[in-house]
Amino acid sequence: MPFPFTGQCTCPCGTSKFSLSKRPTRRFLCHCTICQKIYQKPHSDVAVLSATRVSVETPNTIEFGKYKEEPALDRGLCKECGNPVVGFLPVMPFVRLAFVPCANILDQDRLPEPAMHIYYDTRVADVDDGIPKYEGNKQSQRKATGLVLAGFLGL
Ligand SMILES: [Zn+2]
Ligand SMILES: [Zn+2]
């Protein structure tokens, strides 16, 4: 790798800033209806890593909230532009994961390839990219959890 990963991240308007102490290696695309609504896009594009790797630099510009269908995921939206900044999910005692919208990571060329599409059954458009696609709540949750747990020691 020619350059070290800077880890710098911002929301689209640049007001909300945070940083990652490790380059993410797990990434997936989520077509659930909540992501579609919050991101105003056909799907979200998210990297997942341990929450301990995330430092929020502007906590006062981020509004954290939970959405009905996902009671556990604490999604942080920028108070200025309303876009997702970073989300946190407790998975077991003392273990929290961070979900980082890939668009917020400034080192775009250091992102991993997406490993999977989840909630593909609620897609607004077909995607022809050869990446595995999983449908429905059960399968999507299981595959996404597997993705995270497989690399857990490396997070
Ligand atoms: Zn989603
Ligand atoms: Zn913003």
Side-chain angles (χ1 to χ4, degrees), residues 56-68:
V56 175
E57 289 158 18
T58 59
N60 297 330
T61 71
I62 305 170
E63 184 91 65
F64 281 95
K66 295 178 183 173
Y67 290 78
K68 209 171 148 195

Side-chain angles (χ1 to χ4, degrees), residues 104-142:
N104 292 354
I105 299 172
L106 299 186
D107 266 351
Q108 282 291 303
D109 53 350
R110 302 295 300 279
L111 289 171
E113 288 301 310
M116 60 180 72
H117 292 264
I118 60 170
Y119 290 97
Y120 193 61
D121 52 313
T122 51
R123 67 190 177 278
V124 294
D126 285 348
V127 185
D128 183 18
D129 60 3
I131 297 170
K133 296 172 180 68
Y134 302 111
E135 303 194 347
N137 201 45
K138 230 169 143 181
Q139 198 187 29
S140 297
Q141 296 272 359
R142 198 174 66 227

